[in-house]
Amino acid sequence: MPPKKAGLSKELEPWLQTRILNISENPPRYEASWYGPYNALLSHFFPYTRQFMVKPQPKLRPRRAINPGESISNISLASAGYPVQSHAVLDESRLESDVFIPDFIVAKATESLEADQSLLQVEIKVHTDETSWEMGRVQLQRYMSRHMCSEGSTIYGLLICGGEAEMYKKASKEARTRIHLVGRRCPIKEKEVLDFLYRIAAEHW
């Protein structure tokens, strides 16, 4: 367990703890209905006052090489600072075909628009059947692997299906497609999940 950090607590506000318990026991029908409570949960552990940023549905575009003598008008920079294809040179049919969109990314932010460090990627599913879990794992693996080929540092993942969660980690030197389960699948309100979020926040506090 990392040392305690001033201002960082695993104790949720009572209303938020109850809200998460309620949506876990009475799951909303639509995925979007989960975003508010989980955004509040992430913001509790990753406050903007410590230079964290919780990004809803960010777009993860593939990294691209810069050719010698290439015009910079063909290139854009992602918020993490790596080059991606500019929208100006893509037709509409190709624009979003290779873009991944996790439900949330937590980043250590900077004043710059191109220097954020991604820490945690979150994928949310409404249903708790094994098909939903497997689909979520595949998506999360893709998101985390795209991060690895772009930024290169350790990235964490949180897969939430209904009111339960699986936690993942991917180190920078591992194969692009490999992610590791951290702990066990458990209800989102359990100590394991709160400890997981606390450790990530404390490491970058």
Side-chain angles (χ1 to χ4, degrees), residues 24-58:
S24 299
E25 295 179 347
N26 303 282
R29 180 178 179 183
Y30 298 106
E31 186 176 300
S33 300
W34 297 81
Y35 291 169
Y38 287 137
N39 181 70
L41 174 67
L42 294 171
S43 297
H44 169 83
F45 285 98
F46 304 98
Y48 80 93
T49 53
R50 297 298 303 184
Q51 214 168 318
F52 293 108
M53 186 177 291
V54 178
K55 303 180 180 183
Q57 297 189 318

Side-chain angles (χ1 to χ4, degrees), residues 38 50 62 64 80 83 87 92 95 120 123 126 128 138 172 176 184 195 204:
Y38 287 137
R50 297 298 303 184
R64 73 181 298 281
H87 283 197
E92 289 298 321
L95 194 58
L120 172 70
E123 182 64 19
V126 172
T128 58
V138 170
S172 58
R176 285 177 52 187
R184 64 185 178 92
D195 284 348
H204 300 277

Side-chain angles (χ1 to χ4, degrees), residues 34 36 51 59 79 87 110 117 123-124 126 147 160 180 200:
W34 297 81
Q51 214 168 318
K59 295 184 177 182
S79 61
H87 283 197
T110 69
Q117 179 189 359
E123 182 64 19
I124 298 171
V126 172
H147 164 88
I160 301 171
H180 294 285
I200 301 170

Side-chain angles (χ1 to χ4, degrees), residues 89-105:
V89 298
L90 292 177
D91 58 52
E92 289 298 321
S93 63
R94 295 176 55 205
L95 194 58
E96 302 297 326
S97 61
D98 55 0
V99 173
F100 298 156
I101 307 178
D103 289 314
F104 293 100
I105 283 182

Side-chain angles (χ1 to χ4, degrees), residues 7-143:
L8 176 59
S9 172
K10 285 181 281 189
E11 297 296 322
L12 303 181
E13 291 291 328
W15 74 267
L16 180 57
Q17 189 171 9
T18 303
R19 179 67 174 264
I20 291 174
L21 177 63
N22 286 339
I23 64 172
S24 299
E25 295 179 347
N26 303 282
R29 180 178 179 183
Y30 298 106
E31 186 176 300
S33 300
W34 297 81
Y35 291 169
Y38 287 137
N39 181 70
L41 174 67
L42 294 171
S43 297
H44 169 83
F45 285 98
F46 304 98
Y48 80 93
T49 53
R50 297 298 303 184
Q51 214 168 318
F52 293 108
M53 186 177 291
V54 178
K55 303 180 180 183
Q57 297 189 318
K59 295 184 177 182
L60 300 177
R61 295 185 171 85
R63 189 184 187 105
R64 73 181 298 281
I66 301 176
N67 300 317
E70 183 176 11
S71 171
I72 61 173
S73 63
N74 295 343
I75 302 167
S76 295
L77 288 179
S79 61
Y82 61 89
V84 297
Q85 186 68 62
S86 171
H87 283 197
V89 298
L90 292 177
D91 58 52
E92 289 298 321
S93 63
R94 295 176 55 205
L95 194 58
E96 302 297 326
S97 61
D98 55 0
V99 173
F100 298 156
I101 307 178
D103 289 314
F104 293 100
I105 283 182
V106 175
K108 191 69 172 181
T110 69
E111 296 177 355
S112 169
L113 299 178
E114 298 92 20
D116 292 349
Q117 179 189 359
S118 297
L119 307 176
L120 172 70
Q121 297 181 354
V122 182
E123 182 64 19
I124 298 171
K125 300 294 180 188
V126 172
H127 303 293
T128 58
D129 57 277
E130 283 305 315
T131 299
S132 295
W133 282 105
E134 185 57 33
M135 184 182 302
R137 291 186 200 106
V138 170
Q139 288 179 282
L140 195 60
Q141 180 172 285
R142 289 174 178 169
Y143 303 156

